Amino acid sequence: MSPQPSSAAFWPSFWRGFRALMPLWLGMVPFAVAYAVTARGAGLSVWETQLMSLTVFAGASQFAAAGLFAGGASMLGIVSTTFLLNARHLLYGLSLSRSLPLSRAQRLLGAQFLTDEAYGVALVSGSREPGGLSFGYLLGAELSLYAIWNASTLAGALAGSALPSPEALGVGVIFPLAFLMLLVPLVVGPQVIGRLPVVVALASGLGAWGLSQVVPGGLVILLSGVGGALLGAALVGRQGEGA
């Protein structure tokens, strides 16, 4: 486990984490605006649209919730759908807990603002920080996206349907490419020994593709993530026995 930085080192680490996510702002803005337009079209007020971004802060879940609101879905249906879409965060939290010791208050704060992008950047870039990944770096990365997501939500809620959709702008490719850039150093970096990470990554990817044909998206990520972790543990155990 990496030691936690002193309070004097918190803010420099925080701002490094904040800046590390800024390149993703360009892709975040149109999606936040599109969510706001979708929510307004579903009958939510500007305040309600903004409140969801402030409290939920989960793009896919907010899109789904807005669509379900428009379709008159029950509260149970909305909660169940958003839970499945965000189930992957359970795996993110377990992964972070292995390298980042946190107090209870820090866990709650970090969990509230955790996103796919913040997790990936913190795991790849934050681990290269002096002393390893720190809470300051993680929180800075999280709040970087939180700030731009909410500012863009407000702009979209006020502008309405006058702005083009993300599909029209062709920005849908940004996040998949960003995650590929985060994945490659983890799989082929100098800290990797042997081919196990490559095997696990390929198996998880193929498993996710197969599951996506029959189960909802959130459950796909959870099942493929758990399956990949179990496969990795089994292969590492077998490798240790053969050593």
Side-chain angles (χ1 to χ4, degrees):
M1 289 186 178
S2 59
Q4 287 299 291
S6 64
S7 57
F10 174 86
W11 288 110
S13 182
F14 175 92
W15 288 116
R16 285 194 294 271
F18 191 95
R19 291 192 297 271
L21 268 293
M22 290 178 67
L24 295 182
W25 283 14
L26 182 63
M28 186 67 69
V29 170
F31 282 104
V33 170
Y35 150 70
V37 172
T38 301
R40 295 286 284 131
L44 298 180
S45 67
V46 172
W47 166 244
E48 290 167 336
T49 299
Q50 189 68 43
L51 182 63
M52 192 183 298
S53 277
L54 288 168
T55 57
V56 177
F57 186 43
S61 295
Q62 290 180 228
F63 268 106
L68 291 170
F69 274 123
S74 67
M75 186 58 64
L76 179 60
I78 294 173
V79 172
S80 300
T81 300
T82 54
F83 173 80
L84 285 176
L85 287 172
N86 285 303
R88 65 192 183 279
H89 286 78
L90 296 172
L91 300 176
Y92 294 165
L94 290 172
S95 173
L96 286 172
S97 67
R98 297 181 58 192
S99 57
L100 183 59
L102 299 174
S103 67
R104 179 173 298 181
Q106 288 173 334
R107 289 194 199 102
L108 291 173
L109 190 61
Q112 170 61 27
F113 298 109
L114 186 62
T115 61
D116 302 325
E117 300 80 15
Y119 167 77
V121 170
L123 205 63
V124 174
S125 301
S127 60
R128 301 171 185 159
E129 283 282 287
L133 177 61
S134 68
F135 176 67
Y137 189 97
L138 175 64
L139 188 63
E142 292 177 338
L143 293 185
S144 180
L145 289 191
Y146 184 76
I148 192 63
W149 178 264
N150 278 280
S152 302
T153 294
L154 181 60
L158 294 174
S161 59
L163 299 172
S165 67
E167 291 80 6
L169 296 175
V171 298
V173 72
I174 290 177
F175 288 123
L177 288 178
F179 271 95
L180 283 175
M181 292 175 64
L182 294 172
L183 175 65
V184 170
L186 290 175
V187 173
V188 301
Q191 75 278 14
V192 172
I193 302 175
R195 295 173 294 176
L196 290 184
V198 177
V199 172
V200 172
L202 289 175
S204 299
L206 290 172
W209 176 81
L211 288 169
S212 68
Q213 311 302 309
V214 293
V215 297
L219 196 55
V220 168
I221 298 173
L222 180 62
L223 292 176
S224 59
V226 171
L230 292 175
L231 174 62
L235 292 177
V236 169
R238 180 175 298 180
Q239 188 181 59
E241 293 173 359

